[in-house]
Coordinates of all heavy atoms in Angstrom, one line a residue:
M496 N 27.4 -24.8 14.3 CA 28.9 -25.1 14.3 C 29.6 -24.0 15.2 O 29.3 -22.8 15.2 CB 29.4 -25.0 12.9 CG 30.8 -25.7 12.7 SD 30.8 -27.4 13.4 CE 32.2 -28.0 12.4
N497 N 30.4 -24.5 16.1 CA 31.2 -23.7 17.0 C 32.2 -22.9 16.2 O 33.1 -23.5 15.6 CB 31.8 -24.6 18.1 CG 32.4 -23.7 19.2 OD1 32.6 -22.5 19.1 ND2 32.8 -24.4 20.2
K498 N 32.2 -21.6 16.3 CA 33.1 -20.7 15.5 C 34.6 -20.9 16.0 O 35.5 -20.8 15.2 CB 32.7 -19.3 15.6 CG 31.7 -18.9 14.5 CD 31.3 -17.5 14.6 CE 30.1 -17.3 13.6 NZ 29.5 -15.9 13.7
K499 N 34.7 -21.2 17.3 CA 36.1 -21.4 17.8 C 36.8 -22.6 17.1 O 38.0 -22.6 17.0 CB 36.0 -21.7 19.3 CG 35.8 -20.4 20.1 CD 35.6 -20.8 21.6 CE 35.1 -19.5 22.3 NZ 34.6 -19.9 23.6
S500 N 36.0 -23.6 16.7 CA 36.6 -24.8 16.1 C 37.1 -24.6 14.7 O 37.7 -25.5 14.1 CB 35.7 -26.0 16.3 OG 34.5 -25.8 15.5
S501 N 36.7 -23.5 14.1 CA 37.0 -23.2 12.7 C 38.5 -22.8 12.5 O 39.0 -23.0 11.4 CB 36.1 -22.2 12.1 OG 36.3 -20.9 12.8
S502 N 39.2 -22.4 13.6 CA 40.6 -22.1 13.4 C 41.4 -23.3 13.5 O 41.2 -24.2 14.4 CB 41.0 -21.1 14.6 OG 42.4 -21.1 14.7
A503 N 42.4 -23.4 12.6 CA 43.2 -24.6 12.6 C 44.1 -24.7 13.8 O 44.5 -25.8 14.2 CB 44.1 -24.6 11.3
K504 N 44.5 -23.6 14.4 CA 45.3 -23.6 15.6 C 44.6 -23.9 16.9 O 45.2 -24.3 17.9 CB 46.0 -22.2 15.7 CG 47.2 -22.1 14.8 CD 47.9 -20.7 14.9 CE 49.0 -20.6 13.9 NZ 49.6 -19.3 14.0
A505 N 43.3 -23.7 16.9 CA 42.5 -24.0 18.1 C 42.6 -25.5 18.4 O 42.6 -26.4 17.6 CB 41.1 -23.6 17.9
K506 N 42.6 -25.7 19.8 CA 42.6 -27.2 20.2 C 41.3 -27.8 20.0 O 40.2 -27.1 20.1 CB 43.0 -27.2 21.7 CG 44.4 -26.9 21.9 CD 45.0 -27.6 23.2 CE 46.5 -27.4 23.2 NZ 46.9 -27.0 24.5
L507 N 41.3 -29.1 19.6 CA 40.0 -29.7 19.4 C 39.3 -29.9 20.7 O 39.8 -30.2 21.7 CB 40.3 -31.1 18.8 CG 40.8 -31.2 17.3 CD1 41.2 -32.6 17.0 CD2 39.7 -30.7 16.4
R508 N 38.0 -29.6 20.6 CA 37.1 -29.8 21.7 C 36.0 -30.8 21.4 O 35.6 -30.9 20.2 CB 36.5 -28.4 22.1 CG 37.5 -27.5 22.8 CD 36.8 -26.1 23.0 NE 37.8 -25.2 23.5 CZ 37.9 -25.0 24.8 NH1 37.2 -25.6 25.7 NH2 38.8 -24.1 25.2
C509 N 35.5 -31.4 22.4 CA 34.3 -32.2 22.3 C 33.1 -31.4 21.8 O 32.8 -30.4 22.4 CB 34.0 -32.9 23.6 SG 32.5 -33.8 23.7
D510 N 32.4 -31.9 20.8 CA 31.2 -31.2 20.3 C 30.0 -31.3 21.2 O 29.0 -30.6 21.0 CB 30.8 -31.8 18.9 CG 31.8 -31.4 17.8 OD1 32.3 -30.2 17.9 OD2 31.9 -32.1 16.8
I511 N 30.1 -32.2 22.2 CA 29.0 -32.3 23.2 C 29.2 -31.6 24.4 O 28.4 -30.7 24.8 CB 28.6 -33.8 23.4 CG1 28.1 -34.4 22.1 CG2 27.6 -33.9 24.6 CD1 27.8 -35.9 22.2
C512 N 30.3 -31.8 25.1 CA 30.6 -31.2 26.4 C 31.6 -30.0 26.3 O 31.7 -29.2 27.3 CB 31.0 -32.2 27.5 SG 32.7 -32.9 27.1
G513 N 32.2 -29.9 25.2 CA 33.1 -28.7 25.0 C 34.5 -28.9 25.7 O 35.4 -28.0 25.6
K514 N 34.8 -30.0 26.3 CA 36.0 -30.3 26.9 C 37.1 -30.5 25.9 O 36.9 -31.1 24.9 CB 35.9 -31.6 27.8 CG 36.7 -31.6 29.0 CD 36.3 -32.8 29.9 CE 36.8 -34.1 29.3 NZ 36.5 -35.2 30.1
R515 N 38.3 -30.0 26.2 CA 39.5 -30.3 25.3 C 39.9 -31.7 25.4 O 39.9 -32.3 26.4 CB 40.6 -29.4 25.7 CG 40.5 -28.0 25.2 CD 41.8 -27.2 25.5 NE 41.5 -25.8 25.4 CZ 42.4 -24.9 25.7 NH1 43.6 -25.2 26.2 NH2 42.1 -23.6 25.5
F516 N 40.3 -32.2 24.2 CA 40.8 -33.6 24.2 C 42.2 -33.6 24.7 O 43.1 -32.8 24.3 CB 40.7 -34.1 22.8 CG 39.4 -34.3 22.2 CD1 38.9 -33.5 21.2 CD2 38.5 -35.2 22.8 CE1 37.6 -33.6 20.7 CE2 37.2 -35.4 22.3 CZ 36.8 -34.6 21.3
K517 N 42.5 -34.6 25.6 CA 43.9 -34.7 26.1 C 44.7 -35.3 25.0 O 44.2 -36.1 24.3 CB 43.8 -35.6 27.3 CG 43.3 -34.9 28.6 CD 43.5 -35.8 29.8 CE 42.7 -35.3 31.0 NZ 42.0 -36.4 31.7
K518 N 46.0 -35.0 25.1 CA 47.0 -35.6 24.1 C 47.0 -37.1 24.4 O 47.1 -37.6 25.5 CB 48.4 -35.0 24.4 CG 49.2 -34.9 23.2 CD 50.5 -34.2 23.5 CE 51.3 -34.0 22.3 NZ 52.6 -33.3 22.6
G519 N 46.8 -37.8 23.3 CA 46.8 -39.3 23.4 C 45.5 -39.9 23.9 O 45.3 -41.1 24.0
G520 N 44.6 -39.0 24.4 CA 43.3 -39.5 24.9 C 42.4 -40.0 23.8 O 42.6 -39.7 22.6
S521 N 41.4 -40.7 24.2 CA 40.5 -41.3 23.2 C 39.4 -40.3 22.8 O 38.9 -39.6 23.7 CB 39.9 -42.6 23.6 OG 39.3 -42.5 24.9
R522 N 39.1 -40.3 21.6 CA 37.9 -39.5 21.1 C 37.3 -40.2 20.0 O 37.8 -41.2 19.4 CB 38.4 -38.1 20.6 CG 39.4 -38.1 19.5 CD 39.7 -36.6 19.1 NE 40.5 -36.6 17.9 CZ 41.7 -36.1 17.9 NH1 42.3 -35.7 18.9 NH2 42.4 -36.1 16.7
Y523 N 36.0 -39.9 19.8 CA 35.2 -40.6 18.8 C 34.6 -39.7 17.8 O 34.1 -38.6 18.1 CB 34.1 -41.4 19.6 CG 34.7 -42.3 20.6 CD1 34.9 -41.8 21.9 CD2 34.9 -43.7 20.3 CE1 35.5 -42.6 22.9 CE2 35.5 -44.4 21.3 CZ 35.7 -43.9 22.6 OH 36.3 -44.7 23.6
R524 N 34.6 -40.2 16.6 CA 33.9 -39.5 15.5 C 32.6 -40.1 15.2 O 32.5 -41.3 15.0 CB 34.8 -39.6 14.2 CG 34.2 -39.1 12.9 CD 34.3 -37.6 12.7 NE 35.6 -37.1 12.8 CZ 35.8 -35.7 12.8 NH1 34.8 -34.9 12.8 NH2 37.1 -35.3 12.8
I525 N 31.5 -39.4 15.3 CA 30.2 -39.9 15.1 C 29.7 -39.4 13.7 O 29.7 -38.2 13.4 CB 29.2 -39.4 16.1 CG1 29.6 -39.9 17.5 CG2 27.8 -40.0 15.7 CD1 28.7 -39.4 18.6
N526 N 29.4 -40.3 12.8 CA 29.0 -39.9 11.5 C 27.5 -40.3 11.4 O 27.1 -41.4 11.7 CB 29.8 -40.6 10.4 CG 31.2 -40.1 10.3 OD1 31.4 -38.9 10.3 ND2 32.1 -41.0 10.2
L527 N 26.7 -39.3 10.9 CA 25.3 -39.5 10.7 C 25.0 -39.3 9.2 O 25.3 -38.2 8.7 CB 24.4 -38.6 11.6 CG 22.9 -38.6 11.3 CD1 22.3 -39.9 11.8 CD2 22.3 -37.4 12.0
E528 N 24.4 -40.2 8.6 CA 24.1 -40.1 7.2 C 22.7 -40.5 6.9 O 22.3 -41.6 7.2 CB 25.1 -41.0 6.4 CG 25.2 -40.6 5.0 CD 26.4 -41.3 4.3 OE1 26.7 -42.4 4.6 OE2 27.0 -40.7 3.4
I529 N 21.9 -39.6 6.3 CA 20.6 -39.9 6.0 C 20.4 -39.7 4.5 O 20.7 -38.7 3.9 CB 19.6 -38.9 6.7 CG1 19.8 -39.0 8.2 CG2 18.1 -39.2 6.3 CD1 19.1 -37.8 9.0
I530 N 20.0 -40.8 3.8 CA 19.8 -40.8 2.4 C 18.4 -41.2 2.1 O 17.9 -42.2 2.7 CB 20.8 -41.7 1.7 CG1 22.3 -41.4 2.1 CG2 20.7 -41.6 0.2 CD1 23.3 -42.4 1.8
S531 N 17.7 -40.5 1.2 CA 16.3 -40.9 0.9 C 16.3 -42.3 0.3 O 17.2 -42.7 -0.5 CB 15.7 -39.9 0.1 OG 16.2 -39.9 -1.2
D532 N 15.3 -43.0 0.6 CA 15.2 -44.4 0.2 C 14.1 -44.6 -0.8 O 13.2 -43.8 -0.8 CB 15.0 -45.3 1.4 CG 15.4 -46.8 1.0 OD1 16.2 -47.0 0.1 OD2 14.8 -47.7 1.6
F533 N 14.2 -45.5 -1.7 CA 13.2 -45.8 -2.7 C 12.6 -47.1 -2.3 O 13.2 -48.1 -2.1 CB 14.0 -45.9 -4.1 CG 13.1 -46.3 -5.2 CD1 11.8 -45.7 -5.5 CD2 13.4 -47.4 -6.1 CE1 11.0 -46.1 -6.5 CE2 12.6 -47.8 -7.1 CZ 11.4 -47.1 -7.3
D534 N 11.2 -47.1 -2.3 CA 10.5 -48.3 -1.8 C 10.4 -49.4 -2.8 O 9.8 -50.5 -2.5 CB 9.1 -47.9 -1.2 CG 8.1 -47.4 -2.3 OD1 8.5 -47.4 -3.5 OD2 7.0 -47.0 -1.9
G535 N 10.9 -49.2 -4.0 CA 10.9 -50.2 -5.0 C 9.6 -50.3 -5.9 O 9.5 -51.1 -6.8
H536 N 8.6 -49.5 -5.5 CA 7.4 -49.5 -6.3 C 7.5 -48.6 -7.5 O 7.8 -47.4 -7.5 CB 6.2 -49.0 -5.4 CG 4.9 -48.8 -6.2 ND1 4.2 -49.9 -6.5 CD2 4.3 -47.8 -6.7 CE1 3.1 -49.5 -7.2 NE2 3.2 -48.2 -7.3
I537 N 7.2 -49.2 -8.7 CA 7.3 -48.5 -9.9 C 5.9 -48.6 -10.6 O 5.3 -49.7 -10.7 CB 8.3 -49.1 -10.9 CG1 9.7 -49.0 -10.3 CG2 8.3 -48.4 -12.3 CD1 10.8 -49.8 -11.0
E538 N 5.4 -47.4 -10.9 CA 4.0 -47.4 -11.5 C 4.1 -48.1 -12.9 O 5.0 -48.0 -13.6 CB 3.5 -46.0 -11.6 CG 3.2 -45.3 -10.3 CD 2.8 -43.8 -10.5 OE1 3.7 -43.0 -10.5 OE2 1.6 -43.6 -10.6
D539 N 3.0 -48.7 -13.2 CA 2.8 -49.3 -14.5 C 2.5 -48.2 -15.5 O 1.3 -47.8 -15.7 CB 1.8 -50.4 -14.5 CG 1.7 -51.2 -15.8 OD1 2.5 -50.8 -16.7 OD2 1.0 -52.2 -15.9
L540 N 3.5 -47.8 -16.3 CA 3.3 -46.7 -17.2 C 2.5 -47.0 -18.5 O 2.0 -46.2 -19.1 CB 4.6 -46.0 -17.5 CG 5.4 -45.4 -16.4 CD1 6.8 -45.0 -16.8 CD2 4.6 -44.2 -15.8
S541 N 2.4 -48.4 -18.7 CA 1.7 -48.8 -19.9 C 0.2 -48.5 -19.8 O -0.5 -48.5 -20.8 CB 2.0 -50.3 -20.2 OG 1.4 -51.0 -19.1
K542 N -0.3 -48.4 -18.6 CA -1.7 -48.1 -18.4 C -2.0 -46.6 -18.3 O -3.1 -46.2 -18.1 CB -2.2 -48.8 -17.1 CG -2.3 -50.3 -17.3 CD -2.6 -51.0 -16.0 CE -2.5 -52.5 -16.1 NZ -2.4 -53.1 -14.8
K543 N -0.9 -45.8 -18.4 CA -1.1 -44.3 -18.3 C -1.1 -43.7 -19.7 O -0.6 -44.3 -20.6 CB 0.1 -43.8 -17.5 CG 0.3 -44.4 -16.1 CD -0.7 -43.9 -15.1 CE -0.4 -44.5 -13.7 NZ -1.5 -44.3 -12.7
P544 N -1.7 -42.5 -19.7 CA -1.6 -41.8 -21.0 C -0.2 -41.6 -21.5 O 0.8 -41.5 -20.6 CB -2.3 -40.5 -20.7 CG -2.9 -40.5 -19.4 CD -2.4 -41.7 -18.7
E545 N 0.0 -41.4 -22.7 CA 1.4 -41.2 -23.3 C 2.2 -40.1 -22.7 O 3.4 -40.2 -22.5 CB 1.3 -41.0 -24.8 CG 1.6 -42.2 -25.6 CD 1.4 -42.0 -27.1 OE1 2.0 -41.0 -27.6 OE2 0.7 -42.8 -27.8
D546 N 1.5 -39.0 -22.4 CA 2.2 -37.9 -21.8 C 2.2 -37.8 -20.3 O 2.6 -36.8 -19.7 CB 1.6 -36.6 -22.4 CG 0.2 -36.4 -22.0 OD1 -0.4 -37.3 -21.4 OD2 -0.4 -35.3 -22.2
Y547 N 1.9 -39.0 -19.7 CA 1.8 -39.0 -18.2 C 3.1 -38.7 -17.5 O 3.2 -37.8 -16.7 CB 1.3 -40.4 -17.8 CG 1.4 -40.7 -16.3 CD1 0.4 -40.1 -15.4 CD2 2.4 -41.4 -15.7 CE1 0.5 -40.3 -14.1 CE2 2.5 -41.6 -14.4 CZ 1.5 -41.1 -13.5 OH 1.6 -41.2 -12.2
L548 N 4.2 -39.4 -18.0 CA 5.5 -39.1 -17.4 C 6.0 -37.7 -17.6 O 6.5 -37.1 -16.7 CB 6.5 -40.2 -18.0 CG 7.7 -40.4 -17.1 CD1 7.4 -41.0 -15.8 CD2 8.7 -41.4 -17.9
E549 N 5.7 -37.2 -18.8 CA 6.1 -35.9 -19.2 C 5.5 -34.9 -18.3 O 6.1 -33.9 -17.8 CB 5.7 -35.6 -20.6 CG 6.6 -34.6 -21.3 CD 6.2 -34.4 -22.8 OE1 6.2 -35.4 -23.5 OE2 5.8 -33.3 -23.1
K550 N 4.2 -35.1 -18.0 CA 3.4 -34.2 -17.2 C 3.9 -34.2 -15.7 O 3.9 -33.2 -15.0 CB 1.9 -34.5 -17.3 CG 1.2 -33.8 -18.5 CD -0.2 -34.1 -18.5 CE -0.9 -33.4 -19.7 NZ -2.2 -33.8 -20.0
K551 N 4.2 -35.5 -15.3 CA 4.7 -35.7 -14.0 C 6.0 -35.0 -13.7 O 6.2 -34.3 -12.7 CB 4.8 -37.2 -13.7 CG 4.9 -37.4 -12.2 CD 4.6 -38.9 -11.9 CE 4.6 -39.1 -10.4 NZ 4.0 -40.3 -10.0
M552 N 6.9 -35.1 -14.7 CA 8.2 -34.4 -14.6 C 8.0 -32.9 -14.6 O 8.7 -32.3 -13.8 CB 9.1 -34.8 -15.8 CG 9.7 -36.2 -15.8 SD 10.6 -36.5 -14.2 CE 12.0 -35.4 -14.5
D553 N 7.1 -32.4 -15.4 CA 6.9 -31.0 -15.4 C 6.4 -30.5 -14.0 O 6.8 -29.4 -13.6 CB 5.8 -30.6 -16.4 CG 6.3 -30.5 -17.8 OD1 7.5 -30.5 -18.0 OD2 5.5 -30.4 -18.8
K554 N 5.6 -31.3 -13.4 CA 5.0 -31.0 -12.1 C 6.2 -31.0 -11.0 O 6.2 -30.1 -10.2 CB 4.0 -32.0 -11.7 CG 3.1 -31.6 -10.5 CD 1.9 -32.6 -10.3 CE 1.1 -32.3 -9.1 NZ 1.7 -32.7 -7.9
I555 N 7.0 -32.0 -11.1 CA 8.1 -32.0 -10.1 C 9.0 -30.8 -10.4 O 9.5 -30.2 -9.4 CB 8.9 -33.4 -10.3 CG1 8.0 -34.5 -9.8 CG2 10.2 -33.3 -9.5 CD1 8.5 -35.9 -10.2
L556 N 9.4 -30.5 -11.6 CA 10.2 -29.4 -11.9 C 9.6 -28.1 -11.5 O 10.3 -27.2 -11.0 CB 10.5 -29.3 -13.4 CG 11.5 -30.4 -13.9 CD1 11.6 -30.4 -15.5 CD2 12.9 -30.2 -13.4
D557 N 8.3 -28.0 -11.6 CA 7.6 -26.8 -11.2 C 7.6 -26.6 -9.7 O 7.8 -25.5 -9.2 CB 6.1 -26.9 -11.7 CG 5.5 -25.5 -11.7 OD1 6.0 -24.6 -12.3 OD2 4.4 -25.4 -11.0
E558 N 7.5 -27.7 -9.0 CA 7.5 -27.7 -7.5 C 8.8 -27.4 -6.9 O 9.0 -26.9 -5.8 CB 7.0 -29.1 -7.0 CG 5.5 -29.2 -7.0 CD 5.0 -30.6 -6.7 OE1 5.9 -31.5 -6.5 OE2 3.8 -30.9 -6.7
T559 N 9.9 -27.8 -7.6 CA 11.2 -27.7 -7.1 C 12.0 -26.5 -7.6 O 13.0 -26.1 -7.1 CB 12.1 -28.9 -7.4 OG1 12.1 -29.1 -8.8 CG2 11.6 -30.2 -6.7
K560 N 11.4 -25.7 -8.6 CA 12.2 -24.6 -9.1 C 12.4 -23.5 -8.2 O 13.3 -22.7 -8.3 CB 11.5 -24.1 -10.5 CG 10.2 -23.4 -10.3 CD 9.8 -23.0 -11.7 CE 8.4 -22.3 -11.6 NZ 7.7 -22.1 -12.9
E561 N 11.4 -23.4 -7.2 CA 11.5 -22.3 -6.2 C 12.5 -22.6 -5.1 O 12.9 -21.8 -4.3 CB 10.2 -22.0 -5.6 CG 9.1 -21.5 -6.5 CD 9.5 -20.2 -7.2 OE1 10.0 -19.3 -6.5 OE2 9.2 -20.0 -8.4
M562 N 12.9 -23.9 -5.0 CA 13.8 -24.3 -3.9 C 15.3 -24.0 -4.4 O 15.6 -24.1 -5.5 CB 13.7 -25.8 -3.7 CG 12.3 -26.2 -3.2 SD 12.2 -28.0 -3.1 CE 12.9 -28.3 -1.5
T563 N 16.1 -23.7 -3.4 CA 17.5 -23.5 -3.6 C 18.1 -24.9 -3.8 O 17.6 -25.9 -3.4 CB 18.2 -22.7 -2.5 OG1 18.2 -23.6 -1.4 CG2 17.5 -21.4 -2.2
E564 N 19.3 -24.8 -4.4 CA 20.0 -26.1 -4.6 C 20.3 -26.8 -3.3 O 20.2 -28.0 -3.2 CB 21.3 -25.8 -5.3 CG 21.9 -27.0 -6.0 CD 23.2 -26.6 -6.7 OE1 23.3 -25.5 -7.2 OE2 24.2 -27.5 -6.6
K565 N 20.6 -26.0 -2.2 CA 20.9 -26.6 -0.9 C 19.7 -27.3 -0.3 O 19.8 -28.3 0.2 CB 21.4 -25.5 0.0 CG 22.1 -26.0 1.2 CD 22.7 -24.8 2.0 CE 23.5 -25.4 3.2 NZ 22.6 -25.9 4.3
E566 N 18.5 -26.6 -0.4 CA 17.3 -27.2 0.1 C 16.9 -28.5 -0.6 O 16.6 -29.4 0.1 CB 16.1 -26.2 -0.1 CG 16.1 -25.1 0.9 CD 15.0 -24.0 0.6 OE1 14.7 -23.9 -0.6 OE2 14.6 -23.3 1.5
L567 N 17.2 -28.5 -1.9 CA 16.9 -29.7 -2.7 C 17.8 -30.8 -2.2 O 17.4 -32.0 -2.1 CB 17.1 -29.3 -4.1 CG 16.2 -30.1 -5.2 CD1 14.8 -29.9 -4.8 CD2 16.5 -29.5 -6.5
E568 N 19.0 -30.5 -2.0 CA 20.0 -31.5 -1.6 C 19.7 -32.1 -0.3 O 19.8 -33.3 -0.1 CB 21.4 -30.8 -1.6 CG 22.6 -31.7 -2.0 CD 23.8 -30.9 -2.1 OE1 24.0 -30.2 -3.2 OE2 24.5 -30.8 -1.1
E569 N 19.3 -31.2 0.7 CA 19.0 -31.6 2.0 C 17.8 -32.5 2.1 O 17.6 -33.2 3.0 CB 19.0 -30.5 3.0 CG 20.4 -29.9 3.2 CD 20.5 -28.9 4.4 OE1 19.4 -28.6 4.9 OE2 21.6 -28.7 4.8
E570 N 16.9 -32.3 1.1 CA 15.6 -33.0 1.1 C 15.9 -34.5 1.0 O 15.2 -35.4 1.5 CB 14.8 -32.5 -0.1 CG 13.5 -33.2 -0.2 CD 12.3 -32.3 0.2 OE1 12.5 -31.4 1.1 OE2 11.2 -32.5 -0.3
I571 N 17.0 -34.8 0.2 CA 17.3 -36.2 0.0 C 18.5 -36.7 0.6 O 18.8 -37.9 0.8 CB 17.3 -36.5 -1.6 CG1 18.4 -35.6 -2.2 CG2 16.0 -36.4 -2.2 CD1 18.9 -36.1 -3.6
Y572 N 19.4 -35.8 1.1 CA 20.7 -36.2 1.6 C 21.1 -35.3 2.8 O 21.1 -34.1 2.6 CB 21.7 -36.2 0.5 CG 23.0 -36.8 0.9 CD1 23.2 -38.2 1.0 CD2 24.1 -36.0 1.3 CE1 24.4 -38.7 1.4 CE2 25.3 -36.5 1.7 CZ 25.5 -37.8 1.7 OH 26.7 -38.4 2.1
L573 N 21.4 -35.9 3.9 CA 21.8 -35.1 5.1 C 22.9 -35.8 5.7 O 22.9 -37.0 6.0 CB 20.6 -35.0 6.0 CG 20.8 -34.1 7.2 CD1 20.8 -32.6 6.8 CD2 19.6 -34.3 8.2
K574 N 24.0 -35.1 5.9 CA 25.2 -35.7 6.5 C 25.8 -34.8 7.6 O 25.9 -33.6 7.4 CB 26.2 -35.9 5.5 CG 27.3 -36.9 5.9 CD 28.2 -37.2 4.7 CE 29.3 -38.2 5.2 NZ 30.2 -38.5 4.0
R575 N 26.0 -35.3 8.8 CA 26.5 -34.5 9.9 C 27.6 -35.4 10.6 O 27.5 -36.6 10.6 CB 25.4 -34.2 10.9 CG 24.3 -33.4 10.4 CD 24.7 -31.9 10.4 NE 23.5 -31.1 10.0 CZ 23.3 -30.8 8.7 NH1 24.1 -31.2 7.8 NH2 22.3 -30.0 8.4
N576 N 28.6 -34.7 11.2 CA 29.5 -35.5 12.0 C 29.9 -34.7 13.2 O 30.0 -33.5 13.2 CB 30.6 -36.0 11.2 CG 31.6 -35.0 10.7 OD1 32.5 -34.5 11.5 ND2 31.5 -34.6 9.5
W577 N 30.2 -35.4 14.3 CA 30.6 -34.8 15.5 C 31.9 -35.5 16.0 O 32.1 -36.7 15.8 CB 29.6 -35.0 16.6 CG 28.2 -34.3 16.3 CD1 27.9 -33.1 16.7 CD2 27.1 -34.9 15.7 NE1 26.6 -32.8 16.3 CE2 26.1 -33.9 15.7 CE3 26.9 -36.1 15.1 CZ2 24.8 -34.2 15.1 CZ3 25.6 -36.4 14.5 CH2 24.6 -35.4 14.5
L578 N 32.7 -34.8 16.8 CA 33.8 -35.3 17.4 C 33.6 -35.2 18.9 O 33.3 -34.2 19.5 CB 35.1 -34.5 17.1 CG 36.4 -35.2 17.3 CD1 36.5 -36.5 16.5 CD2 37.5 -34.2 16.8
V579 N 33.5 -36.4 19.6 CA 33.1 -36.4 21.0 C 34.1 -37.2 21.9 O 34.8 -38.0 21.4 CB 31.7 -36.9 21.2 CG1 30.7 -36.0 20.4 CG2 31.6 -38.4 20.7
C580 N 34.0 -36.9 23.2 CA 34.9 -37.6 24.1 C 34.2 -38.9 24.7 O 34.9 -39.8 25.0 CB 35.4 -36.7 25.2 SG 34.1 -36.2 26.3
I581 N 32.9 -38.9 24.8 CA 32.1 -40.0 25.4 C 32.7 -40.3 26.7 O 33.5 -41.3 26.9 CB 32.0 -41.2 24.5 CG1 31.4 -40.8 23.1 CG2 31.1 -42.3 25.1 CD1 31.3 -42.0 22.1
K582 N 32.3 -39.5 27.7 CA 32.7 -39.8 29.1 C 32.2 -41.1 29.6 O 31.1 -41.4 29.4 CB 32.2 -38.6 30.0 CG 33.2 -37.5 30.1 CD 32.8 -36.6 31.2 CE 31.7 -35.6 30.7 NZ 31.3 -34.6 31.8
K583 N 33.1 -41.8 30.3 CA 32.7 -43.0 31.0 C 32.4 -42.7 32.4 O 33.2 -42.3 33.2 CB 33.8 -44.1 30.9 CG 33.9 -44.6 29.5 CD 35.0 -45.7 29.5 CE 35.3 -46.1 28.0 NZ 36.7 -45.6 27.7
N584 N 31.1 -42.9 32.8 CA 30.7 -42.7 34.2 C 30.8 -43.9 35.1 O 30.5 -45.0 34.6 CB 29.3 -42.1 34.3 CG 29.3 -40.7 33.6 OD1 30.1 -39.9 33.9 ND2 28.3 -40.5 32.8
Ligands
ZN1897 ZN1 32.6 -34.6 25.7

């Protein structure tokens, strides 16, 4: 992130070319959203031992306990946005 854009008084600049937006000029907001998807496959738990799910949860909790909350969040959800001028050549 450009530190200059964090000030509210600073003029808005294009996130790609850095050019200032002209008053009344067109600009575009690009939103990128990545969300983890579920493939719909569910294991048949009736064929598994009784404590199968419990053990699996323990394993997941064990694997993720070292991760920070942010890392965990980004693993499944990522959102970015840019403000750009999109020059017409
Ligand atoms: Zn630009």
Side-chain angles (χ1 to χ4, degrees):
M496 199 52 156
N497 189 350
K498 276 179 184 171
K499 281 174 192 166
S500 65
S501 61
S502 164
K504 278 178 184 176
K506 288 211 170 134
L507 285 172
R508 284 172 187 268
C509 170
D510 284 331
I511 292 173
C512 69
K514 211 171 73 180
R515 280 186 193 174
F516 294 111
K517 283 186 195 140
K518 214 173 181 180
S521 52
R522 59 178 190 244
Y523 304 85
R524 170 82 58 191
I525 299 172
N526 290 313
L527 172 72
E528 199 168 36
I529 301 164
I530 305 165
S531 71
D532 198 27
F533 175 51
D534 69 2
H536 175 77
I537 297 167
E538 287 177 275
D539 186 357
L540 294 172
S541 64
K542 287 172 188 164
K543 306 280 182 190
E545 259 178 52
D546 62 351
Y547 172 77
L548 202 63
E549 204 178 306
K550 278 183 178 166
K551 194 163 187 167
M552 282 307 293
D553 277 350
K554 194 171 176 281
I555 292 167
L556 287 173
D557 198 55
E558 281 168 358
T559 56
K560 73 180 176 191
E561 298 298 320
M562 296 172 88
T563 66
E564 201 180 320
K565 197 172 180 289
E566 280 172 337
L567 210 55
E568 214 172 275
E569 288 195 346
E570 182 104 331
I571 54 160
Y572 186 79
L573 189 67
K574 197 174 179 180
R575 297 280 183 270
N576 71 79
W577 298 269
L578 198 60
V579 300
C580 65
I581 306 181
K582 267 192 279 184
K583 288 186 191 107
N584 293 316

